Amino acid sequence: MVAYFGYVLVLMLLWAGVRTLRHAGVRTAAEVADGLSESDGTSLNAPEGFRLGKLKLSTLDPLCKIGLYEGRERARYEMRSKLIPILFPLVCLVLLLLHGESRVPNLLIPTMIAWAVGYLFQRAKYRADCAAFKKTIDFYLPIVMERIIMAVQTGHDVLSAVRTVVELDDDMSKRLKDVPILPTKDPATRLFGLVLRFVEAGIKFDLALQNIADLVDSPALKHAFLHIKLAYLEGGAVIVPLRELSDSTQLFYQESIEEEIAKLPAKATWPLVITFAGLIIWFLTTPLVEIISISTKAQQTAGGQ
């Protein structure tokens, strides 16, 4: 029985992986009932957020923090998140079995450690995805603000200017969908598109801006949405405030890049220390080996006399 323990673990992990793949994107009975009970565009009680058909946005949803709102992309990311903690112990267990290990403790302990490493790797990947999503928003937001300013200068109000920018981005996405090396839709315009979807569902424009801004941990985006909200509610001359807002978002992104550049020397300290330590050890290895060899021969000679 002990000899087959490793194979039983492999089968269990394979079963868990296959089950994860089969149930990827399958809605549970509770989700189906929740989807049927809520109407489109209905605001939910805090902190659940807002709902629009299959699209449900919540400040407590971790996938909303990385820009995943639709069912298909969320299901794909959730599937990868569940497979990574399974893949790590599976590979570790297969390598141990190929090495000829059959004792239960020597199989179980490394497998549990590999599962913990896979879980920590997935959490680190999620944090990296959150940072990358925020950085991408900060990069595209000044461009989107410039487009909104140009639309306002041509005679549109704030809401119609946002709609024009989103429609323009949709047209560009359709043209560039066959070019894999170019981005087809930036996340900043996508968030404005979510705002328009809720406006079309009957939610006020200022309320939609507020709730979409709460989903993203980007101070620049929150600041931009707040200015657009005030421009929509107060009216008046909006070109000058929007121009100042565009300049401030560009300055914010520039300062964030300069901050990252300033952190690079500190990040390079430990790699340099390890590199120089390895070089020193490599240069001292040969003399140390010679000294040890000479001292050993001297001790043997003294002992023989």
Side-chain angles (χ1 to χ4, degrees):
M1 181 64 183
V2 175
Y4 294 102
F5 179 77
Y7 298 101
V8 173
L9 284 179
V10 170
L11 292 177
M12 291 175 61
L13 291 173
L14 288 175
W15 174 81
V18 172
R19 188 174 183 274
T20 301
L21 290 175
R22 288 187 59 185
H23 290 274
V26 178
R27 302 177 67 192
T28 62
E31 292 174 346
V32 174
D34 182 62
L36 294 175
S37 62
E38 299 290 345
S39 60
D40 290 349
T42 302
S43 61
L44 304 178
N45 295 326
E48 284 80 4
F50 277 79
R51 176 180 197 85
L52 183 63
K54 296 181 180 180
L55 183 67
K56 184 176 180 181
L57 308 179
S58 172
T59 55
L60 300 181
D61 191 348
L63 295 184
C64 289
K65 301 295 183 181
I66 56 178
L68 299 179
Y69 312 110
E70 302 291 345
R72 181 177 300 177
E73 57 187 8
R74 288 170 60 90
R76 189 181 299 112
Y77 189 88
E78 288 178 348
M79 180 187 67
R80 290 198 299 264
S81 301
K82 294 177 181 178
L83 284 178
I84 288 177
I86 297 174
L87 184 62
F88 273 69
L90 180 61
V91 172
C92 177
L93 191 58
V94 170
L95 292 177
L96 289 174
L97 291 175
L98 292 177
H99 190 263
E101 189 62 55
S102 60
R103 289 177 294 181
V104 174
N106 293 344
L107 291 175
L108 189 59
I109 294 176
T111 301
M112 295 177 64
I113 294 175
W115 176 84
V117 171
Y119 175 78
L120 294 176
F121 175 81
Q122 171 56 31
R123 297 306 302 172
K125 183 178 180 301
Y126 171 75
R127 290 191 294 269
D129 292 338
C130 291
F133 180 65
K134 178 180 176 297
K135 185 177 180 180
T136 307
I137 289 178
D138 295 339
F139 175 79
Y140 281 104
L141 186 59
I143 303 174
V144 178
M145 294 306 303
E146 288 291 336
R147 293 176 180 174
I148 293 177
I149 291 174
M150 289 188 290
V152 172
Q153 288 176 340
T154 58
H156 294 277
D157 60 1
V158 177
L159 179 56
S160 62
V162 172
R163 189 185 307 276
T164 301
V165 170
V166 173
E167 291 176 354
L168 175 63
D169 190 76
D170 290 337
D171 293 338
M172 293 177 61
S173 300
K174 294 177 181 179
R175 296 175 184 177
L176 299 177
K177 65 179 180 179
D178 297 329
V179 184
I181 62 174
L182 296 177
T184 58
K185 200 171 185 65
D186 63 87
T189 307
R190 188 180 184 190
L191 291 172
F192 279 106
L194 291 178
V195 172
L196 291 181
R197 290 180 62 178
F198 284 107
V199 170
E200 293 171 356
I203 298 176
K204 293 182 179 179
F205 181 59
D206 56 329
L207 184 59
L209 285 171
Q210 180 64 41
N211 284 272
I212 296 300
D214 292 338
L215 294 175
V216 184
D217 295 330
S218 175
L221 183 74
K222 295 179 184 293
H223 190 65
F225 275 27
L226 177 61
H227 271 263
I228 295 174
K229 174 184 174 181
L230 293 176
Y232 174 75
L233 293 176
E234 301 298 333
V238 297
I239 295 179
V240 175
L242 289 179
R243 172 64 63 184
E244 294 177 353
L245 175 59
S246 176
D247 295 339
S248 65
T249 54
Q250 180 65 37
L251 181 61
F252 175 81
Y253 179 73
Q254 180 180 348
E255 291 177 350
S256 64
I257 295 299
E258 292 176 353
E259 183 181 358
E260 292 183 2
I261 294 174
K263 292 179 180 178
L264 290 179
K267 293 181 179 180
T269 301
W270 280 110
L272 288 175
V273 169
I274 295 173
T275 301
F276 283 112
L279 288 175
I280 292 172
I281 294 173
W282 183 70
F283 282 121
L284 293 179
T285 299
T286 303
L288 288 176
V289 170
E290 292 294 334
I291 292 173
I292 294 174
S293 178
I294 293 172
S295 61
T296 303
K297 291 180 181 179
Q299 292 177 358
Q300 291 177 354
T301 303
Q305 293 178 355

